Amino acid sequence: MVNTNPLIAQPPQEVPLKDAPLVRVIAQVRFPPILSIEKKEFVGSFQEAIRETYPILHLEQTPGLVLGSPGIVETAPQLTWRFLDTTNSWRISLAPNFLAIETTAYSSRSDFLKRFKNALQALDENFKPKVIERFGLRYIDRLVGQELEDISLLVKPEIAGIVATEFRKYIYQTINESWFIIPDGDEQIIAARWGLMSADVTFDPNAIEPIDEPSWILDIDMSSKSKNREFSVEALISEAQNFAERIYTFFRWAVQDEFLRRFGGKL
């Protein structure tokens, strides 16, 4: 009997989607603060290592965020270097305590991991972090228009929920969130969020831009919180590969075959 539990099942073969509704993919690694990252004289060599692909630089001052018992607490602002490509669809962010890569133009798992590896190598060569505090990978899909109307045809009943009822048009917003522990996963978890958002509304402005029409979101975030692991580019890429496969397994559990066909997949 085939195991259908998405937390432990073998990852299914990928079905490429020509018109995938994937709006953003983010990978982030956090490490103890490296204060020299805030100084431009130290960041120049990092920029040179990635500048051919990400030639546009923006410097932002962003609030620091700490997750504690009261919830998310804002701390002193920190400088974040944003490196963008010429299409504004790929971005690398570098701050004293994290590096992230994100895209709104995801084409394949292999391309994303190759770019992530290049960014990690530039980080390692220039700042040599010794310890990882957290690593996470996040995929966000968004349905609008006719696909939103057909939600019950595209996703499993367990996921569609109340949005598949005849009174959906009266729902202003409904967001479900579930956290799953990966068995024998060394403190790995999946946080899955899904639901309907009204026009001009978002539950995460940093990752999901509000748009001028209602939309349905499937947001799958996998992370490892085992503390004080040794920083290793190869180990992180291997972990990112495993995370991507597990997220895809959860995604395939959540959607119907019609979802794959609707967005250009060939079964």
Side-chain angles (χ1 to χ4, degrees), residues 117-151:
K117 183 175 183 178
N118 290 340
L120 289 173
Q121 287 173 334
L123 175 70
D124 190 30
E125 290 167 5
N126 290 282
F127 295 104
K128 301 188 184 306
K130 300 300 182 183
V131 172
I132 299 169
E133 291 184 335
R134 180 188 185 275
F135 169 65
L137 182 62
R138 184 177 181 187
Y139 284 69
I140 304 169
D141 287 278
R142 175 177 237 156
L143 303 183
V144 296
Q146 187 60 49
E147 281 66 46
L148 178 54
E149 293 293 322
D150 295 340
I151 190 73

Side-chain angles (χ1 to χ4, degrees), residues 30-43:
R30 301 187 73 89
F31 42 81
I34 301 173
L35 298 182
S36 60
I37 289 177
E38 289 198 324
K39 302 180 185 299
K40 62 182 180 180
E41 59 267 30
F42 292 99
V43 175

Side-chain angles (χ1 to χ4, degrees), residues 17 77 95 102-103 108 131 147 152-153 173 182 187 202 212 226 242 245:
L17 302 182
E102 59 188 293
T103 184
S108 70
V131 172
E147 281 66 46
S152 61
L153 302 177
Q173 178 167 304
I182 303 299
E187 298 188 62
T202 179
D212 60 1
S226 52
N242 292 335
E245 291 175 355

Side-chain angles (χ1 to χ4, degrees), residues 17 20 27 44-45 51 64 73 105 117 146 160 192 196 215 229 237 261:
L17 302 182
S45 56
R51 188 165 60 87
V73 179
K117 183 175 183 178
Q146 187 60 49
L196 180 69
S215 62
R229 290 184 293 147
I237 292 303
R261 287 190 284 265

Side-chain angles (χ1 to χ4, degrees), residues 25-239:
V25 179
I26 308 168
Q28 185 194 75
V29 58
R30 301 187 73 89
F31 42 81
I34 301 173
L35 298 182
S36 60
I37 289 177
E38 289 198 324
K39 302 180 185 299
K40 62 182 180 180
E41 59 267 30
F42 292 99
V43 175
S45 56
F46 176 88
Q47 182 188 25
E48 284 304 304
I50 65 170
R51 188 165 60 87
E52 184 175 350
T53 306
Y54 308 95
I56 301 169
L57 171 62
H58 294 157
L59 179 59
E60 298 180 7
Q61 191 170 58
T62 58
L65 299 175
V66 174
L67 182 61
S69 55
I72 297 177
V73 179
E74 193 169 300
T75 61
Q78 67 179 12
L79 292 179
T80 301
W81 306 87
R82 309 283 195 188
F83 305 90
L84 297 93
D85 73 348
T86 55
T87 66
N88 201 34
S89 58
W90 284 87
R91 184 173 77 172
I92 291 176
S93 299
L94 177 66
N97 62 343
F98 76 85
L99 178 137
I101 183 169
E102 59 188 293
T103 184
T104 57
Y106 185 91
S107 60
S108 70
R109 187 183 300 166
S110 60
D111 176 60
F112 185 85
L113 293 179
K114 179 181 177 181
R115 288 172 177 262
F116 184 38
K117 183 175 183 178
N118 290 340
L120 289 173
Q121 287 173 334
L123 175 70
D124 190 30
E125 290 167 5
N126 290 282
F127 295 104
K128 301 188 184 306
K130 300 300 182 183
V131 172
I132 299 169
E133 291 184 335
R134 180 188 185 275
F135 169 65
L137 182 62
R138 184 177 181 187
Y139 284 69
I140 304 169
D141 287 278
R142 175 177 237 156
L143 303 183
V144 296
Q146 187 60 49
E147 281 66 46
L148 178 54
E149 293 293 322
D150 295 340
I151 190 73
S152 61
L153 302 177
L154 301 180
V155 304
K156 300 283 178 61
E158 302 95 310
I159 300 296
I162 198 171
V163 180
T165 63
E166 67 277 6
F167 56 88
R168 183 192 64 240
K169 65 181 180 180
Y170 301 109
I171 300 173
Y172 178 74
Q173 178 167 304
T174 176
I175 301 296
N176 301 275
E177 181 175 73
S178 296
W179 290 54
F180 305 92
I181 298 170
I182 303 299
D184 302 319
D186 191 24
E187 298 188 62
Q188 295 173 1
I189 61 170
I190 284 181
R193 306 169 194 87
W194 63 88
L196 180 69
M197 295 194 305
S198 184
D200 303 314
V201 169
T202 179
F203 61 82
D204 185 352
N206 293 319
I208 306 172
E209 297 176 358
I211 59 175
D212 60 1
E213 60 180 319
S215 62
W216 186 86
I217 296 292
L218 176 60
D219 177 4
I220 309 173
D221 183 351
M222 186 169 177
S223 62
S224 175
K225 293 188 175 179
S226 52
K227 296 278 187 176
N228 299 328
R229 290 184 293 147
E230 180 181 356
F231 181 93
S232 164
V233 173
E234 295 302 327
L236 276 169
I237 292 303
S238 177
E239 190 168 35

